[in-house]
Amino acid sequence: MQTLTAENIAISFGRREILSGVSLRVEKGKITGLLGRNGCGKSTLLKIIFGTQPAPDKIIQLDGKTISHPYTIKGAINYAPQFSFFPKGLTIARALKDFGVSPEKVFHDFPALDADMHKTFAELSDGIVRLWTILTLVYAQSHFTLLDEPFTHIMPLHVEQLKEVLQREKQNKGIVVTDHMHKHVTEIADSLYIIKDRKSLIVRTKDDLAFHSYIPFC
Amino acid sequence: MSTLYLRFYSSFAPATFLVTIACAWLYYYWGGTTLPALFFFKLITDYIFWHLLRQLNEKKMYYYYNRNLSKTSLWLFAFGFDLLLFISLLVIIAPRPIPI
């Protein structure tokens, strides 16, 4: 699989229209950044693309083939929501095995995480759980990975290492990253979108972000 | 894959199994006439448990979604497996006629 496209995405919650006519294109070998104000629908868009959020209007395609629930296709897509989803009693070693991730691969990039291998998610701090969640999905074999706020709660040293991992792993997959730490997102993204007024807009320069009132003019 | 289904089921199995045990106990002491009512009670309580769990445990579902398991397949397995346990237990403890 080379491309994941989302077109004509529209969703409302009650009378509140969240997204209308949103489009996004994700390519293997690239990181796609997604920015937008709080509550603009970034997480909802990722869930719709993943297939767990029903939407009245949506066209999700993998290599041009329309798929209603991409997450049910083995090896197609995985998604890290903002919260931890691993069962608390699960050990890190078991989680890695479940997702077919080699521990050596993780320790090569994050040697300090070796000590966590036989701990359960309940025994780890929120930041480390977040890091393990992101790493597990990024290293897992899937054609596309959607990351909702991957840098939040993670300490600066690990953020820098994580960015390097994302840059390297994009060779094997297409990655979507959304985070309010926009400097990290703009630094690693090969293409960038912003959601504003329920639409997705392509961002080409930093000035575009200021123009769309996402960051202040400098 | 079946391990994942069982792991999902085990997250709420203690609650549903308690109902199964209670139903089995009632069936053992009150006999076959209670069977339709117990069956109906079991279905209703299962629905209530799973409805509550869907509300409270939605975040944890992403572990299974990321393993390509759909919501429908998870609930169908859990419901089917729980019903199978329920019926099996009733068959095992069913009062038998005393041989003359």
Side-chain angles (χ1 to χ4, degrees):
Chain A
M1 286 177 206
Q2 297 294 320
T3 57
L4 164 68
T5 53
E7 287 174 19
N8 202 31
I9 307 288
I11 190 167
S12 303
F13 292 127
R15 289 183 180 177
R16 189 176 164 225
E17 193 177 37
I18 306 292
L19 301 169
S20 173
V22 166
S23 297
L24 196 76
R25 182 182 172 84
V26 188
E27 290 175 43
K28 186 178 177 181
K30 288 185 177 178
I31 296 175
T32 304
L34 183 64
L35 300 173
R37 291 179 167 196
N38 290 324
C40 72
K42 301 184 297 295
S43 300
T44 303
L45 176 60
L46 295 188
K47 285 178 190 170
I48 291 171
I49 294 172
F50 188 54
T52 49
Q53 173 68 56
D57 288 313
K58 65 166 185 179
I59 301 170
I60 310 295
Q61 293 185 321
L62 291 168
D63 283 345
K65 189 180 171 192
T66 303
I67 310 285
S68 59
H69 298 92
Y71 77 95
T72 58
I73 299 169
K74 196 174 180 189
I77 191 167
N78 58 28
Y79 166 55
Q82 290 175 22
F83 46 82
S84 171
F85 59 81
F86 283 101
K88 289 204 179 296
L90 202 69
T91 62
I92 297 294
R94 179 70 210 194
L96 292 179
K97 194 179 174 194
D98 281 355
F99 282 83
V101 176
S102 152
E104 287 74 28
K105 201 171 179 183
V106 182
F107 303 147
H108 179 262
D109 295 318
F110 293 85
L113 294 185
D114 189 13
D116 297 341
M117 265 309 270
H118 299 290
K119 289 180 181 169
T120 64
F121 280 89
E123 294 173 283
L124 300 170
S125 69
D126 288 350
I128 294 296
V129 166
R130 188 73 191 138
L131 183 61
W132 272 114
T133 303
I134 301 298
L135 290 175
T136 304
L137 295 189
V138 169
Y139 287 127
Q141 283 195 348
S142 73
H143 292 283
F144 298 98
T145 293
L146 314 176
L147 304 174
D148 197 348
E149 301 199 359
F151 305 125
T152 305
H153 301 308
I154 293 179
M155 69 176 190
L157 177 68
H158 284 163
V159 168
E160 293 307 317
Q161 289 172 294
L162 180 57
K163 286 192 307 192
E164 286 174 24
V165 169
L166 293 176
Q167 290 283 21
R168 197 178 60 239
E169 289 300 314
K170 75 177 183 183
Q171 290 164 13
N172 307 317
K173 54 172 65 185
I175 300 173
V176 180
V177 176
T178 176
D179 205 296
H180 282 305
M181 297 166 100
H182 65 89
K183 286 179 184 168
H184 296 311
V185 178
T186 51
E187 192 184 318
I188 60 170
D190 299 291
S191 60
L192 196 58
Y193 291 83
I194 186 166
I195 296 182
K196 190 189 176 192
D197 299 332
R198 301 175 293 283
K199 308 277 184 203
S200 57
L201 307 165
I202 293 173
V203 176
R204 291 193 173 83
T205 66
K206 195 179 170 186
D207 288 344
D208 287 351
L209 291 177
F211 177 76
H212 293 304
S213 311
Y214 183 68
I215 59 170
F217 279 103
C218 332
Chain B
M1 199 60 88
S2 56
T3 317
L4 277 174
Y5 282 112
L6 286 172
R7 189 179 290 164
F8 173 71
Y9 176 69
S10 70
S11 63
F12 55 86
T16 58
F17 193 66
L18 216 63
V19 173
T20 297
I21 294 288
C23 288
W25 186 82
L26 287 170
Y27 178 59
Y28 185 77
Y29 281 97
W30 291 41
T33 51
T34 57
L35 202 56
L38 291 176
F39 201 74
F40 185 68
F41 177 70
K42 176 66 181 163
L43 291 180
I44 292 290
T45 51
D46 268 4
Y47 176 78
I48 293 169
F49 278 137
W50 294 337
H51 185 71
L52 282 173
L53 276 155
R54 279 174 78 158
Q55 303 272 317
L56 302 172
N57 237 10
E58 181 60 29
K59 290 180 178 178
K60 299 293 174 202
M61 295 297 287
Y62 278 87
Y63 172 72
Y64 302 98
Y65 299 155
N66 272 308
R67 302 291 313 280
N68 315 114
L69 300 182
S70 72
K71 200 181 286 186
T72 312
S73 71
L74 285 165
W75 291 115
L76 277 177
F77 174 85
F79 180 72
F81 190 73
D82 193 55
L83 215 58
L84 190 73
L85 283 181
F86 176 70
I87 292 167
S88 303
L89 193 63
L90 292 193
V91 168
I92 291 167
I93 62 145
R96 286 173 180 81
I98 300 163
I100 300 170

